[in-house]
Amino acid sequence: MPRLLRSPPLTVLPHGPVRNFVELLFDYREIANYPKLKEISEQVKSLPESEQNGTASRETIRRMFHGSVPSEWHTVEVVFLALCRMADVDPDRRVKYTYWDEEEESNVEVDTDRRSQMREVWSAALYGRSVSRVRFQGIDFDHEDPEPPRRSTGFRAATDDPWATGRGGFSDDPPF
C-alpha cells in the first residue's frame, strides 16, 4: 500500500524559499484532488509532445514534494503542467498572489501568470533567495538614450575670451 504523501513538517523543512516551492506544489496537488505519485508520473508521460521539454520520474516527483529542488526548470515545468492538467487549470492564466516582503515588512501583491509564478518560486528555492528580490526587467534595445551630459573639467572658459572659446578664427600657432 502506498504511503500517504504529506508536506514535510517544519522541523524537517523550515520556512523559506524551498518550503514555498513545496507548498506551491502541494497547492496544485490539492486542486488536482490529491493524485498519487504514480498518477502524476503517468500524466507527465502523457503530456503532448509540445509540452514535454523535460521528464520527471516518479522518484523525482516524490523528492520534489519532500523538498528536493531540481536544477532544471523543464523537470519542474512538466510536473507543474501535469498537475495543471489533472486540476483542469490553465497554467498561463493571470493570477494575483501576495507574499510577505521581509525587507519592507509588508505584504506585496504580484500580478503574474501561474507558470511564471511557479518558475519564480522554483528559482528562489534553487538559489536560496527571497522571492521579494528585485528581478531583471529587460532592456529596451529600440530605445535611444539621450547623449550623456559632458563632464565638467572644473575649468570654465571666459565667454568673452576668443582663445578659450574657439570663436574668432584665431590660429593656434604662436605669434612669434
Side-chain angles (χ1 to χ4, degrees), residues 8-156:
L10 285 171
T11 54
V12 175
L13 187 61
H15 289 291
V18 176
R19 183 156 197 98
N20 294 342
F21 171 69
V22 171
E23 286 180 351
L24 189 56
L25 283 173
F26 271 99
D27 286 348
Y28 280 100
R29 182 174 175 261
E30 180 182 345
I31 295 167
N33 202 20
Y34 305 98
K36 294 178 174 63
L37 291 173
K38 181 180 179 184
E39 295 169 330
I40 299 170
S41 177
E42 289 171 357
Q43 184 66 43
V44 166
K45 291 174 187 170
S46 70
L47 286 171
E49 201 171 304
S50 62
E51 294 179 358
Q52 284 192 359
N53 295 326
T55 61
S57 68
R58 184 173 164 180
E59 181 60 18
T60 298
I61 297 166
R62 185 191 68 74
R63 286 185 196 154
M64 287 172 61
F65 278 101
H66 284 99
S68 176
V69 182
S71 60
E72 295 289 327
W73 161 245
H74 298 300
T75 303
V76 176
E77 186 179 33
V78 292
V79 174
F80 167 72
L81 292 172
L83 289 169
C84 284
R85 282 181 152 252
M86 296 172 92
D88 197 27
V89 168
D90 179 4
D92 297 311
R93 181 171 179 183
R94 302 292 298 172
V95 294
K96 285 186 181 183
Y97 68 97
T98 305
Y99 68 88
W100 178 257
D101 186 337
E102 293 175 16
E103 293 173 9
E104 297 293 324
E105 295 185 352
S106 65
N107 281 326
V108 176
E109 191 171 275
V110 178
D111 181 19
T112 187
D113 61 87
R114 288 184 173 124
R115 189 185 313 243
S116 296
Q117 177 192 21
M118 177 58 83
R119 187 175 182 131
E120 178 72 14
V121 171
W122 161 77
S123 178
L126 182 65
Y127 295 108
R129 64 172 169 71
S130 169
V131 176
S132 64
R133 181 177 154 259
V134 176
R135 299 289 302 189
F136 172 72
Q137 297 298 315
I139 299 172
D140 183 0
F141 288 103
D142 294 331
H143 174 73
E144 287 187 34
D145 287 329
E147 193 164 318
R150 294 184 182 200
R151 290 181 24 202
S152 172
T153 61
F155 172 76
R156 261 189 91 119

